[in-house]
């Protein structure tokens, strides 16, 4: 009810209203914000956190109450995200003051905590001020910054529901907490060297130093070439000097990670600019502090950190601990890679970190618990903005839109697929996409997936009516979904990708190019080069990449020359054989003959339409990658090689096959092979990318035109390729159509659970899903 109506009901001199604010309004300083507004306007009343949001009661002169409500609506705290503000009249009680009350629970949950946020400039100043009691204290924070999601155990958000519950504030911190004029007024994370969590440096099973001395000791070891584990707010890193090739080499050897790129942390934007090309400094200085994949700008040491690639991941310090570590280390970037063995989740406890004792030389740890594991987020700038590769720290748990809301409080849990997994849960018109879970392939990651699923449901206070899963019957997440008591909804992999894009861009239907490495198709084949007429609850495949073989099945995924041989087996068997014989993983005449037999329809050679495998084949053909040592390596190396070349201007071989149109992969492969002689390999690499982009774009444009659809989207892991994304966008817009691309949701499998939740919700609403 409008505030002025409340004023009329309680007399001309005094009125009272009850204000409920929903959204991300806890852990952002909303209660002290309301208390200050009330004090500034001479109002009485109270404010408290509840499961449903922030509940305030304001009493005083009608005009002052109106101004207070307007300020709540229009000028909330910086970290808050308001979903709704409801105002109801209340009886005047004659309160004489305004107070912040203890939090209470409620039947319905409508509140969320914010993501972790980088330490603010004011707190950083306190940490470096010799006259401040926070000087040198790593866990300094205020209502404007610091950890939130990673330390929260439950709602309503109070210190007792965070990892700070174990640390009783000292008298000075308690006084600041009660002081309306203090920046830490009602800051649940307030702590100082006297009362807060403590740092330690541990080496050889012994605690060598504590507090500020621990940071100095860690820095001294790093400067001597050591590998140091660092426990942060939401996770742990393995750190070493990035320019120290010996240290980086030892880290690779100890992790058995010979080629996968490491992320780096630079002290400042200026420091990052000394080794990467940075067109938008705001990408690094954003309060979320993601890892940004940026073009290399010189320095032979970069090849050790990011072998064979044109980019390197770089981020700025996001916590006080990281800033203080750089103060002690001095200039120069550090490698900061997640502390885990390949295939295992990142360590979150001191004990887990120390289990990596054969990898690290020492560990900088603290005694504050990490309640919610949160890996670093990763973004990549493209021509029209940036794409999120991993949506985790700094982004989660910000909600996304749920475009179709089925009635009857029917909610969805979506469990992702097999790689780069996230989970998603719905509540009303919102979807919360979890932090990065990773590849769910073993007991450790399966346990982490179950915990992330339970955490998402608990955060929202919901129980699912259905569980949305990938259509693939043999991935671990499918088995986990089927083991739950709720009915399941199987969502085709590329439809989920398309639905995530449609939902993010507020569209109900469009033609969508979904291009990636692997997605289980309804016919049981591996798909990945798809053009779909997609809606939220259904889709039609209107074209895409033609089928070709994967000789050896899964081996072809790891050995790109096998895929190249499959594309060339009929058009150029001599070159196909040569590629196989030059491959260290095939080598012999007998093995090459077996692969060529498989390539033309022999046993253990499943068909595929994978765009990712097509790019892998091109990488092998150009000689830039003949063995995949980590996911995406061949295509990433192809992109790096193509950056030094120019496309040769070939027309894509688009052909009609029945009612669909396809880009003929074998013809495209033959055309590339024909250009190897007389042209630089970089030009051939660039041509491979352009053929794929032009072919899929042409099919999509024709389909959109024929069906009267005005937009074409691009999603899937291939959408991270800057050259392919740019070319597809140019073709779409030149045809007079709207180009749809991701902004907040990962195009890759990290956004898949969001699409699954959207599809399942639409089917529930339409009555076409189990549980509906």
């Amino acid at each position: 009810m409008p505030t002025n109506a409340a004023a009329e009901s309680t007399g001309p001199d005094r009125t009272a209203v009850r204000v409920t604010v929903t959204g991300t309004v806890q852990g952002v300083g909303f209660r002290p914000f309301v208390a200050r507004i009330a004090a500034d306007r001479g109002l009485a009343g109270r404010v408290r956190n509840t499961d449903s949001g922030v509940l305030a009661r304001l009493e005083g002169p009608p005009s002052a109450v109106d101004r207070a409500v307007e300020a709540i609506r229009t000028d909330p705290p910086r970290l808050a995200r308001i979903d709704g503000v409801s105002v109801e009249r209340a009886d005047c009680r004659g309160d004489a003051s305004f107070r912040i009350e203890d939090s209470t629970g409620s039947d319905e949950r409508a509140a969320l905590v914010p993501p972790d946020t980088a330490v603010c400039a004011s707190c950083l100043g306190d940490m470096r001020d010799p006259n401040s009691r926070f000087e040198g204290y790593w866990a300094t924070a205020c209502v404007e910054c610091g950890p939130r999601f990673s330390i929260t155990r439950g709602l309503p958000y109070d210190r007792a529901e965070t990892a700070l519950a174990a640390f009783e504030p000292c008298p000075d911190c308690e006084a600041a907490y009660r002081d309306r004029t203090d920046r830490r007024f009602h800051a649940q994370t307030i702590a100082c060297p006297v009362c807060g969590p403590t740092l330690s440096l541990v080496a050889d099973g012994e605690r060598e130093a504590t507090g500020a001395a621990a940071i100095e000791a860690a820095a001294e070891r790093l400067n001597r070439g050591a590998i140091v584990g660092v426990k942060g707010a939401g996770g742990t890193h393995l750190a070493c000097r990035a320019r120290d090739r010996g240290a980086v080499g030892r880290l690779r050897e100890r992790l058995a990670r010979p080629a996968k790129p490491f992320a780096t942390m630079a002290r400042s934007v200026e420091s990052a600019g000394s080794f990467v090309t940075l067109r938008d400094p705001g990408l690094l200085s954003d309060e979320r502090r993601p890892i940004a994949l940026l073009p290399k700008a010189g320095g032979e040491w970069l090849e050790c950190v990011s072998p064979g690639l044109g980019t390197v991941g770089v981020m700025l310090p996001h916590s006080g601990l990281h800033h203080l570590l750089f103060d002690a280390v001095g200039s120069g970037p550090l490698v900061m890679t997640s502390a885990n063995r390949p295939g295992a989740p990142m360590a979150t406890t001191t004990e887990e970190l120390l289990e990596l004792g054969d990898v690290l030389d020492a560990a900088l740890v603290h005694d504050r618990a990490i309640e919610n594991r949160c890996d670093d987020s990763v973004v990549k700038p493209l021509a029209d903005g940036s794409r999120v590769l991993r949506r985790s720290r700094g982004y989660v748990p910000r909600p996304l839109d749920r475009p179709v809301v089925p009635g009857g409080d029917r909610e969805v849990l979506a469990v992702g697929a097999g790689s780069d997994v996230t989970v998603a849960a719905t509540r009303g018109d919102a979807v919360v996409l979890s932090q990065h879970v990773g590849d769910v392939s073993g007991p450790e990651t399966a346990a982490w997936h179950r915990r992330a699923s339970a955490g998402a449901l608990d955060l929202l206070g919901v129980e699912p009516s259905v569980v949305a899963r990938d259509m693939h019957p043999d991935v671990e997440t499918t088995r986990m979904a089927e083991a739950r008591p709720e009915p399941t909804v199987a969502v085709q992999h590329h439809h989920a990708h398309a639905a995530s894009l449609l939902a993010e861009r507020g569209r109900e239907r469009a033609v969508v190019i979904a291009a990636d490495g692997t997605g289980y198709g309804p016919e049981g084949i591996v798909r990945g080069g798809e053009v779909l007429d997609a809606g939220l609850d259904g889709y039609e495949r209107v074209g895409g990449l033609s089928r070709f073989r994967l000789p050896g099945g899964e081996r072809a995924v790891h050995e790109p020359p096998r895929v190249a041989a499959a594309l060339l087996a009929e058009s150029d068997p001599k070159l196909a054989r040569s590629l196989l014989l030059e491959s260290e993983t095939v080598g012999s005449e007998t093995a090459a003959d077996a692969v060529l037999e498989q390539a033309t329809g022999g046993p253990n050679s499943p068909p595929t339409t994978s765009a990712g495998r097509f790019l892998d084949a091109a990488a092998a053909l150009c000689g830039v990658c003949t063995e995949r040592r980590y996911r995406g390596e061949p295509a990433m190396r192809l992109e790096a090689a193509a950056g030094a070349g120019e496309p040769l201007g070939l027309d894509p071989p688009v052909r009609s096959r029945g009612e669909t149109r396809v880009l003929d992969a074998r013809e495209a492969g033959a055309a590339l092979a024909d250009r190897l002689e007389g042209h630089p390999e970089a030009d051939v690499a660039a041509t491979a990318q352009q053929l794929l982009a032009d072919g899929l774009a042409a099919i999509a444009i024709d389909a959109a035109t024929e069906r009267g659809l005005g937009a074409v989207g691009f999603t899937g892991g291939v959408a991270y390729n800057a050259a392919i994304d740019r070319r597809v966008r140019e073709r779409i817009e030149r045809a007079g159509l709207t180009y749809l691309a991701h902004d907040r949701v990962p195009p890759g499998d990290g956004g898949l659970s969001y699409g699954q939740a959207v599809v399942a919700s639409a089917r529930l609403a339409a009555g076409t899903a189990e549980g509906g």
Side-chain angles (χ1 to χ4, degrees):
M1 179 176 291
T3 309
N4 58 0
E8 292 174 4
S9 68
T10 54
D13 298 320
R14 196 169 181 86
T15 190
V17 296
R18 184 165 52 248
V19 182
T20 302
V21 189
T22 58
T24 304
V25 292
Q26 297 189 19
V28 297
F30 213 97
R31 288 176 296 176
F33 159 72
V34 173
R36 288 192 183 98
I37 284 176
D40 291 345
R41 290 157 180 79
L43 300 178
R46 62 198 68 183
V47 63
R48 70 176 185 271
N49 281 341
T50 73
D51 279 339
S52 58
V54 170
L55 179 62
R57 188 176 181 281
L58 303 172
E59 182 174 335
S63 62
V65 169
D66 286 344
R67 292 197 308 274
V69 171
E70 182 63 17
I72 291 171
R73 292 185 193 274
T74 62
D75 191 27
R78 184 175 63 87
L79 300 182
R81 299 291 187 274
I82 293 178
D83 291 338
V85 178
S86 65
V87 183
E88 303 173 283
R89 67 169 173 251
D91 294 333
C92 288
R93 298 177 180 175
D95 292 341
S97 63
F98 193 93
R99 65 182 184 274
I100 298 176
E101 295 185 328
D102 292 338
S103 300
T104 60
S106 62
D107 294 335
E108 294 187 7
R109 180 168 292 175
L112 287 173
V113 293
D116 289 8
T117 303
V119 62
C120 69
S122 296
C123 284
L124 196 56
D126 289 342
M127 292 162 53
R128 290 169 172 162
D129 181 357
N131 297 315
S132 170
R133 66 189 185 89
F134 297 101
E135 182 194 8
Y137 186 57
W138 69 277
T140 301
C142 69
V143 295
E144 292 278 324
C145 71
R148 294 295 189 274
F149 174 68
S150 66
I151 63 168
T152 299
R153 290 199 291 255
L155 292 173
Y157 178 82
D158 276 312
R159 193 180 183 94
E161 292 293 337
T162 74
L164 272 299
F167 303 93
E168 188 72 22
C170 66
D172 285 340
C173 283
E174 184 68 28
Y177 182 85
R178 302 292 177 189
D179 184 355
R180 291 180 191 273
T181 66
D182 197 287
R183 200 174 74 253
R184 297 179 178 88
F185 176 45
H186 260 264
Q188 305 305 315
T189 55
I190 191 170
C192 73
V194 174
C195 62
T198 301
L199 278 179
S200 300
L201 184 80
V202 178
D204 299 322
E206 300 292 332
R207 182 181 298 179
E208 290 193 352
T210 60
I215 296 176
E216 294 291 339
E220 182 182 351
R221 284 178 171 267
L222 287 167
N223 287 333
R224 293 204 313 261
I227 298 166
V228 177
V230 181
K231 182 181 178 184
T236 55
H237 290 107
L238 298 173
C240 68
R241 293 299 297 255
R243 298 179 189 269
D244 186 335
R245 297 186 188 185
V248 175
R250 286 191 294 276
L251 180 57
R252 289 200 177 280
E253 182 179 357
R254 294 177 186 181
L255 280 176
R257 189 171 150 179
K260 191 174 183 180
F262 290 137
T264 64
M265 181 179 283
R267 182 172 190 170
S268 63
V269 168
E270 292 73 24
S271 174
S274 69
F275 62 92
V276 295
T277 299
L278 183 58
R279 295 185 177 89
D280 178 14
L283 197 63
L284 289 181
S285 59
D286 184 290
E287 66 184 19
R288 295 169 291 195
R289 293 293 197 277
I291 297 170
L293 302 184
L294 299 172
K296 296 176 181 175
E300 293 182 2
W301 61 273
L302 287 168
E303 186 60 21
C304 298
V305 174
S306 182
L309 304 183
T311 60
V312 63
V314 58
M315 60 180 158
L316 298 185
H318 50 85
S319 74
L321 172 58
H322 295 111
H323 280 282
L324 293 172
L325 186 58
F326 267 102
D327 288 350
V329 166
S331 62
L334 296 174
V335 163
M336 281 280 182
T337 190
S338 296
N340 59 279
R341 299 189 192 279
M346 175 180 61
T348 55
T349 67
T350 297
E351 293 73 23
E352 290 171 346
L353 182 59
L354 294 178
E355 286 175 5
L356 296 170
D358 57 328
V359 178
L360 51 84
D361 300 307
L364 184 61
V365 298
H366 57 77
D367 54 358
R368 186 179 70 196
I370 296 173
E371 299 293 343
N372 295 295
R373 177 187 281 113
C374 226
D375 291 76
D376 297 317
S377 295
V378 184
V379 300
K380 182 178 182 180
L382 297 182
D384 61 336
S386 61
R387 303 286 183 270
V388 180
L389 282 81
R390 182 194 295 161
R391 186 180 184 273
S392 204
R393 176 183 53 76
Y395 292 77
V396 174
R398 292 276 188 223
L400 301 165
D401 294 332
R402 187 188 189 193
V404 178
V405 182
D409 295 325
R410 290 175 294 177
E411 306 299 353
V412 176
L413 172 68
V415 298
S419 300
D420 286 341
V421 173
T422 59
V423 301
T426 68
R427 182 181 67 196
D429 61 358
V431 181
V432 167
L433 189 61
S434 81
Q435 66 271 51
H436 174 74
V437 174
D439 296 353
V440 180
S441 56
E444 289 180 299
T445 48
W448 167 215
H449 185 279
R450 284 190 288 271
R451 182 177 176 183
S453 299
L457 295 171
D458 182 64
L459 179 69
L460 295 175
V462 299
E463 293 293 334
S465 299
V466 299
V467 178
R469 62 168 179 85
D470 194 74
M471 188 177 282
H472 199 304
D474 292 328
V475 294
E476 184 63 28
T477 54
T478 291
R479 289 187 283 271
M480 295 169 72
E482 297 290 352
R484 291 184 61 95
E486 302 89 0
T488 63
V489 176
V491 182
Q492 199 278 326
H493 190 92
H494 300 102
H495 182 210
H497 276 307
S500 75
L501 177 59
L502 293 176
E504 183 182 357
R505 308 311 298 185
R507 298 273 180 158
E508 294 182 358
R509 182 185 175 194
V511 171
V512 177
I513 300 167
D516 61 5
T518 300
Y520 190 84
E523 319 91 326
I525 74 166
V526 176
R527 291 203 170 275
E530 312 303 291
V531 180
L532 310 178
D533 178 352
L536 298 178
D537 62 348
Y539 74 99
E540 177 188 354
R541 186 179 194 264
V542 297
L545 202 58
S546 70
R547 295 188 184 190
F548 54 96
R549 296 281 176 177
L550 295 176
E554 186 65 21
R555 284 193 67 179
V557 176
H558 297 275
E559 301 172 18
R562 289 174 174 264
V563 190
L567 295 183
L568 301 175
E570 295 179 357
S571 63
D572 195 341
K574 182 178 179 180
L575 177 57
R577 175 182 291 274
S578 176
L579 289 170
L580 293 170
L581 291 175
E582 291 171 5
S583 168
E584 293 182 3
T585 55
V586 179
S588 72
E589 294 275 357
T590 301
D593 288 340
V595 172
L596 288 173
E597 180 184 355
Q598 291 173 322
T600 54
N604 192 23
S605 188
T608 186
T609 63
S610 168
R613 300 293 81 79
F614 175 82
L615 294 173
D616 290 356
L621 193 62
C622 294
V624 298
C625 188
T626 59
E627 180 186 3
R628 190 188 88 159
R629 292 164 292 182
Y630 58 89
R631 202 160 71 92
E633 181 184 12
M636 292 163 66
R637 284 180 173 258
L638 181 76
E639 181 180 10
E646 291 292 334
L648 298 174
L650 301 185
D651 291 330
V654 175
R655 309 288 181 245
S656 294
R657 303 280 170 82
E659 295 183 358
T660 64
R661 302 187 72 207
V662 299
L663 170 63
D664 192 300
R666 282 184 288 272
E667 283 191 52
L672 293 172
D674 288 344
R675 269 68 181 181
L676 280 175
E677 188 172 343
H679 294 94
E681 290 175 347
D683 290 353
V684 179
T687 303
Q689 295 182 154
Q690 186 164 302
L691 278 176
L692 183 65
D694 284 353
L696 295 179
I699 296 168
I701 290 166
D702 288 347
T705 303
E706 291 166 2
R707 294 161 186 254
L709 299 174
V712 173
F714 187 24
T715 186
V718 176
Y720 294 125
N721 183 298
I724 294 177
D725 171 82
R726 182 173 61 251
R727 184 68 175 181
V728 171
R729 181 188 184 97
E730 289 172 355
R731 293 292 300 269
I732 300 306
E733 292 182 341
R734 194 182 305 153
L737 301 171
T738 299
Y739 181 68
L740 306 178
H742 288 280
D743 177 37
R744 296 173 296 150
V745 178
D749 284 2
L752 201 71
S753 63
Y754 177 50
Q756 292 172 340
V758 167
V759 172
S761 297
R763 290 181 184 172
L764 281 174
T768 57
E770 288 189 70

